[in-house]
């Protein structure tokens, strides 16, 4: 007997395939991911909520007066039909069914909707016909589902606690037999305003997605971690000049910036909204010698070797990299108690920041861009070595690895990619799978000649670079970072800090946000009211060795812990903040309509930006400003120093060990 197809359901879009007797007798397994219960059902069995494989659940045309909160366990639901029942309310947990695309609630007795429905950012169909809805909800519904969902999400109270403090992970102890110059580096993609759209980040409330809100939290994060070198990506031109540069200058930084290449062909008003890369450095420790711009499309044009793919795939992408040749200032080296000269040696450090193409379908472009970046960085190093050598004498190109190098950026590539393999291992095969079997051999040969050190033979089967780089985040601590980019559709590590291992030593890195925080609060991705970008900042601390150093065999310091909360090792002042701007229209009074939780009770609004757990907050401002030492640091430091009227005053007592 053949399969029978029944198309006479009340909902004509549903079909049922009935297994034949022969198939049943043969033991053919049945597969069903849809369930329909129709009749005069008044109560549902709890066993239904254990069917977590369901993608569609039809409970229409029953006598149901309530839906239990356990419905949130059906996390794979795409279609939910509750039409033609006697529902007067819906559980807030229905907002956890984030895969829902169709929610039918027609012909019930609903007057209000839970604001949590706004979390259903993938919802395409919402049926509310035949419900006695409040007039404001009914009017929004008439204007479209998207408009209603935006309103609900925008007025949903923030009930999640702020993320727990990120751990500081010790990777090595400083070499105390050398004059010590220790500095920290941050790489951070801040998510440009024009990319922060509801289409990409529909799970984030509109008020928390606005740049005016996010930029204050971003600045608060930058100031809290207080790195000596900052590498920022996706910085809008106008925001660099009007916000980041003036604000960070108040914190003792100076910086450089370049927008993406497209800005050169745009009107002045339009180019203000083009994003690019910025590098900032703490002027107390470092000074700028020279800045450099690397435009990948220009490098591709000059070295295309007649390759159509180089012209059509690589040259059309306007990503850039920038470099700042920095010089250490007097006093950066700590010679106290160590052998060496009493004078602080001058040292050059090359800080590089790059943002590679984003599309995963263009892995070849990312790898070629990374090769071009190393090609240009080598040229910059050779130029610097020649310029600052006494008498302007030329130097062997193999000396470029003796330049302390910090290479940061959003490489849009996972740890097992060809990009990371090339940077960490110093070479990559010309037939690597990331090249997608596209013939770049002539171009790679040209770049290989430029990257080759004197006295070395070029391998025709691979492209190499002379820099001896390590990643601050490596196989030993990737699992502690978990990811640097966290959205609903993608979670992974794509941001890196590399350093020259012959001239520097990585002492520690900042761990990631505890994944349990996301799980416990049902947070599906970032941005979030507590996390201002889809990326989190990656931070490392490095020791740079003086010229002519020799690695010592100084025994390790066993007093160092492997992992420790950041605030227990570093203490930074809380920066002065401008007056807080209201997040909601004045008629709402700053509260979430329809919710018992006022927004003023959110952890991000507590004094000093600290939640009840005492962790660091990235919250908002206060009138009576204080500089706070985080709990768990040094007990003899006064914790609250009133600074009203004192713009630059801070006393910190640090132990020496």
């Amino acid at each position: 007997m053949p399969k029978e197809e029944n198309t006479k359901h009340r909902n004509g879009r549903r079909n049922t395939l009935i297994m034949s007797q022969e198939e049943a007798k043969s033991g053919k397994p049945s597969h069903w991911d849809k369930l329909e219960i129709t009749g005069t059902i008044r109560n549902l069995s709890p066993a239904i909520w254990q069917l977590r494989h369901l993608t569609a659940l039809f409970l229409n045309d029953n006598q149901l007066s309530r839906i239990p909160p356990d419905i949130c366990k059906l996390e794979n639901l795409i279609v939910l039909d509750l039409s033609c029942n006697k529902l007067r309310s819906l559980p807030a947990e229905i907002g956890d069914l984030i895969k829902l695309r169709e929610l039918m609630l027609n012909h019930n007795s609903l007057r209000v909707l839970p604001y949590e429905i706004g979390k259903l950012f993938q919802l395409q169909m919402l049926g509310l016909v035949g419900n006695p809805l409040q007039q404001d909800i009914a009017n929004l519904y008439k204007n479209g589902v998207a408009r209603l969902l935006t309103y609900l999400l925008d007025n949903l109270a923030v009930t999640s606690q702020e993320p727990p403090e990120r751990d500081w992970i010790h990777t090595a102890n400083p070499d105390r037999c050398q004059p010590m110059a220790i500095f920290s580096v941050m790489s951070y993609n801040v998510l440009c305003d024009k990319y922060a759209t509801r289409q990409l980040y529909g799970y984030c409330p509109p008020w928390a997605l606005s740049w005016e809100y996010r930029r204050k939290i971003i600045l608060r994060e930058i100031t809290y971690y207080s790195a000596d070198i900052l590498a920022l990506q996706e910085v809008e031109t106008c925001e660099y000049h009007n916000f980041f540069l003036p604000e960070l200058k108040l914190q003792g930084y100076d910086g450089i910036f370049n927008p993406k290449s497209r800005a050169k062909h745009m009107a002045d008003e339009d180019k203000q909204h083009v994003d690019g890369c910025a590098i900032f450095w703490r002027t107390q420790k470092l000074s700028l010698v020279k800045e450099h711009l690397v435009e990948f499309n220009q490098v591709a044009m000059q070295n295309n070797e007649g390759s159509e793919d180089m012209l059509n795939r690589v040259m059309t992408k306007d990503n850039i990299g920038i470099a700042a040749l920095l010089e250490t200032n007097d006093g950066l080296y700590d010679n106290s108690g160590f052998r060496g000269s009493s004078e602080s040696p001058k040292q050059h450090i090359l800080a590089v920041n790059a943002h590679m193409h984003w599309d995963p379908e263009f892995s070849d472009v990312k790898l070629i861009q990374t090769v071009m970046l190393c090609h240009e960085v080598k040229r910059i190093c050779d130029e610097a070595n020649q310029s600052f050598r006494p008498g302007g004498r030329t130097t062997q190109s193999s000396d470029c690895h003796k330049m302390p190098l910090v290479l940061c950026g959003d490489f849009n590539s996972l740890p097992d990619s060809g990009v990371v393999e090339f940077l960490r291992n110093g070479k990559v095969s010309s037939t690597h799978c990331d090249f997608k079997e596209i013939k770049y051999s002539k171009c790679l040969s040209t770049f290989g000649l430029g990257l080759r050190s004197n006295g070395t033979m070029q391998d025709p089967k691979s492209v190499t670079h002379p820099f001896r780089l390590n990643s601050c985040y490596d196989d030993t601590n990737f699992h502690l970072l978990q990811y640097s980019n966290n959205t609903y559709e993608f979670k992974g590590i794509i941001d890196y800090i590399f350093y020259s291992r012959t001239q520097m030593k990585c002492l520690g890195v900042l761990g990631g946000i505890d994944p349990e925080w996301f799980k416990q609060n049902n947070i599906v991705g970032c941005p979030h009211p507590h996390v201002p970008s889809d990326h989190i900042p990656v931070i490392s601390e490095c020791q740079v060795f003086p010229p002519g150093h020799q690695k010592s065999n100084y025994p390790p310091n066993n007093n160092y812990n492997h992992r420790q909360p950041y605030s227990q090792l570093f203490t930074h002042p809380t920066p002065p903040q401008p007056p807080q701007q209201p997040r909601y229209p004045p008629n709402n009074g700053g509260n979430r309509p329809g919710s018992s939780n006022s927004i003023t009770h959110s952890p991000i609004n507590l004094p000093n930006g600290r939640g009840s757990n005492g962790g660091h907050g990235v919250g908002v401002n206060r009138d009576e400003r204080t500089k706070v030492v985080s709990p768990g640091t040094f007990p003899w430091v006064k914790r609250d120093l009133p600074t009203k009227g004192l713009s630059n005053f801070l006393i910190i007592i640090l132990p020496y060990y």
Side-chain angles (χ1 to χ4, degrees):
M1 180 178 176
K3 295 178 180 178
E4 298 179 1
E5 185 173 356
N6 182 2
T7 60
K8 296 183 180 181
H9 287 287
R10 281 178 292 275
N11 188 335
R13 294 180 290 110
R14 305 205 299 271
N15 294 327
T16 302
L17 296 178
I18 301 175
M19 187 182 298
S20 67
Q21 294 181 358
E22 290 80 4
E23 290 173 331
K25 289 180 180 179
S26 66
K28 180 180 179 180
S30 63
H31 173 74
W32 55 278
D33 57 2
K34 300 177 178 63
L35 177 64
E36 179 177 13
I37 301 175
T38 303
T40 58
I41 306 299
R42 295 179 181 273
N43 295 291
L44 296 170
S45 169
I48 294 178
W49 317 126
Q50 305 304 317
L51 305 177
R52 302 188 180 187
H53 65 286
L54 291 179
T55 60
L57 178 60
F58 302 98
L59 298 174
N60 52 292
D61 297 296
N62 285 292
Q63 301 293 316
L64 298 173
S65 59
R66 65 179 294 271
I67 297 295
D70 285 346
I71 194 172
C72 67
K73 295 180 180 180
L74 304 182
E75 55 190 22
N76 291 308
L77 278 185
I78 298 175
V79 177
L80 176 61
D81 192 344
L82 298 172
S83 299
C84 300
N85 280 282
K86 297 182 178 181
L87 299 175
R88 294 181 177 275
S89 63
L90 295 171
E93 287 77 7
I94 200 170
D96 295 334
L97 302 176
I98 58 173
K99 293 184 180 180
L100 272 185
R101 295 181 180 272
E102 181 177 334
L103 177 60
M104 307 307 294
L105 301 169
N106 299 315
H107 302 293
N108 280 282
S109 301
L110 299 172
R111 293 183 177 273
V112 296
L113 297 175
Y115 287 101
E116 284 76 8
I117 286 183
K119 295 164 62 177
L120 304 178
F121 62 96
Q122 299 193 85
L123 199 64
Q124 298 174 355
M125 296 181 62
L126 176 62
L128 292 173
V129 176
N131 285 282
L133 295 171
Q134 291 180 353
Q135 192 60 44
D136 55 344
I137 298 294
N139 292 338
L140 287 168
Y141 179 62
K142 290 178 182 179
N143 292 327
V145 174
R147 184 77 175 270
L148 176 58
L149 294 179
T150 299
Y151 170 81
L152 294 173
L153 183 61
D154 198 31
N155 290 280
L156 176 64
V158 179
T159 58
S160 60
Q161 296 290 320
E162 62 185 44
E165 190 173 6
R166 296 168 63 181
D167 285 340
W168 184 256
I169 304 162
H170 292 280
T171 58
N173 296 318
D175 188 343
R176 297 183 179 276
C177 287
Q178 300 290 341
M180 294 207 317
I182 296 177
F183 64 93
S184 52
V185 184
M186 170 190 284
S187 181
Y188 194 4
N189 183 322
V190 299
L191 182 58
C192 177
D193 183 37
K194 67 179 179 181
Y195 302 145
T197 64
R198 289 279 296 152
Q199 288 73 25
L200 290 176
Y201 309 105
Y203 47 81
C204 182
W207 59 267
L209 204 56
S210 71
W211 177 246
E212 286 299 316
Y213 173 80
R214 292 193 300 112
R215 72 177 189 173
K216 296 175 184 178
I217 304 180
I218 290 169
L219 181 63
R220 182 70 177 264
E221 280 190 305
I222 290 173
T223 308
Y224 175 73
Y225 291 116
S226 193
D228 299 311
I229 297 176
L230 309 174
L232 306 183
Q233 304 88 38
E234 289 195 19
V235 177
E236 275 193 0
T237 301
C238 59
E239 291 301 319
Y240 170 79
H241 293 290
N242 300 332
F243 178 71
F244 283 107
L245 185 60
E247 290 289 342
L248 289 175
K249 276 191 172 182
L250 294 176
Q251 307 298 328
Y253 292 93
D254 202 356
I256 61 172
F257 168 82
N258 277 103
K260 290 179 177 177
S261 301
R262 75 183 78 152
K264 296 189 298 183
H265 310 290
M266 301 174 71
D268 290 341
E269 182 178 352
D270 295 333
K271 70 175 58 176
Q272 292 299 311
H273 301 287
V274 176
D275 66 291
C277 296
I279 296 177
F280 296 91
W281 58 91
R282 192 172 293 282
T283 55
Q284 183 181 3
K285 293 186 177 182
L286 300 161
S287 300
L288 178 66
V289 177
K290 191 173 183 180
E291 63 178 281
H292 300 268
L293 169 65
V294 178
E295 295 182 282
F296 295 129
N297 58 2
Q298 297 299 313
V299 179
M301 184 187 305
Q302 297 165 7
N303 299 274
N304 66 82
E305 299 296 333
S307 169
E308 292 186 2
D309 290 310
M310 195 72 169
L311 294 172
N312 296 330
R313 290 178 67 85
V314 181
M315 199 189 75
T316 55
K317 312 299 185 295
D318 66 345
N319 304 86
I320 65 165
I322 61 174
L325 182 62
L326 304 172
E327 185 177 62
T328 59
N329 290 338
D330 294 338
L332 178 64
Y333 286 90
D334 179 8
N335 296 288
S336 302
F338 303 104
R339 297 190 299 271
S341 170
S342 59
E343 297 182 358
S344 301
K346 290 287 186 180
Q347 181 83 353
H348 287 130
I349 299 174
L350 184 63
V352 181
N353 182 19
H355 189 189
M356 303 308 181
H357 185 60
W358 65 272
D359 195 338
E361 295 300 319
F362 286 81
S363 60
D364 58 310
V365 172
K366 302 176 193 182
L367 188 47
I368 287 287
Q369 287 179 339
T370 305
V371 172
M372 292 191 294
L373 178 65
C374 288
H375 181 271
E376 293 302 296
V377 169
K378 180 179 181 298
R379 179 185 59 79
I380 293 170
C381 288
D382 291 342
E383 176 187 311
N385 286 333
Q386 181 175 346
S387 299
F388 297 102
R389 187 170 287 266
R393 302 193 308 271
T394 59
T395 180
Q396 297 293 321
S397 60
S398 59
D399 284 349
C400 65
H401 73 271
K402 296 182 180 180
M403 170 78 71
L405 171 65
V406 178
L407 178 59
C408 311
D410 177 0
F411 290 88
N412 277 308
S413 302
L414 294 169
D416 60 354
S417 65
V419 167
V420 177
E421 177 183 335
F422 175 65
L423 291 173
R424 290 176 61 179
N425 298 341
K427 67 177 182 179
V428 68
S429 172
S430 57
T431 59
H432 194 281
C433 61
D434 280 1
F435 283 124
K436 294 182 172 290
E437 299 183 355
I438 298 175
K439 302 299 181 181
Y440 289 111
S441 54
K442 289 185 179 180
C443 303
L444 292 176
S445 178
T446 301
F447 290 126
L449 287 173
L451 286 166
R452 183 167 59 91
S453 299
N454 283 359
T456 61
M457 297 294 294
Q458 182 177 357
D459 183 357
K461 296 183 179 180
S462 64
V463 59
T464 63
H465 69 74
F467 308 105
R468 301 168 187 177
L469 299 177
N470 277 357
S471 174
C472 293
Y473 292 89
D474 56 24
D475 296 335
T476 65
N477 52 44
F478 273 143
H479 67 286
L480 299 175
L481 180 61
Q482 293 281 333
Y483 44 74
S484 64
N485 182 218
N486 177 12
T487 67
Y488 174 70
E489 295 184 346
F490 174 82
K491 293 173 174 57
I493 297 174
I494 57 177
D495 302 90
Y496 301 91
I497 300 174
F498 295 92
Y499 66 97
S500 50
R501 59 178 176 265
T502 58
Q503 301 298 314
M504 299 171 63
K505 184 178 185 180
C506 179
L507 304 180
V509 295
L510 188 65
I513 299 177
D514 187 353
E516 284 299 314
W517 178 75
F518 291 95
K519 184 177 180 180
Q520 292 172 4
N521 293 286
N522 295 316
I523 297 171
V524 299
C526 300
H528 177 270
H530 296 310
V531 185
S533 174
D534 56 341
H535 294 248
I536 61 173
V538 292
I539 304 173
S540 68
E541 186 181 57
C542 297
Q543 177 182 11
V544 60
F545 300 122
H549 82 282
Q550 292 182 353
K551 290 186 177 180
S552 70
N553 295 319
Y554 193 83
N557 183 352
N558 294 324
N559 291 328
Y560 275 75
N561 296 323
H562 178 62
R563 296 175 62 180
Q564 200 168 348
Y566 182 85
S567 64
Q568 294 186 12
L569 291 115
F570 306 99
T571 304
H572 301 297
T574 302
Q577 300 287 338
Q580 180 182 356
Q581 300 297 323
R583 295 181 190 157
Y584 306 102
N587 60 342
N588 286 341
N591 295 335
R592 301 291 188 185
S595 174
S596 60
N597 292 312
S598 166
I599 189 62
T600 56
H601 296 155
S602 171
I604 57 178
N605 276 338
L606 293 179
N608 304 326
R610 295 184 179 277
S612 58
N613 60 356
H616 170 65
V618 290
V620 291
N621 322 302
R622 65 254 186 211
D623 294 325
E624 295 291 335
R625 293 192 286 269
T626 58
K627 299 188 185 261
V628 178
V629 177
S630 300
T633 50
F634 312 116
W636 54 87
V637 179
K638 184 173 177 58
R639 295 184 182 274
D640 295 295
L641 300 175
T643 60
K644 190 172 184 180
L646 299 177
S647 59
N648 293 297
F649 177 79
L650 176 65
I651 299 176
I652 299 179
I653 304 173
L654 297 176
Y656 179 79
Y657 57 92

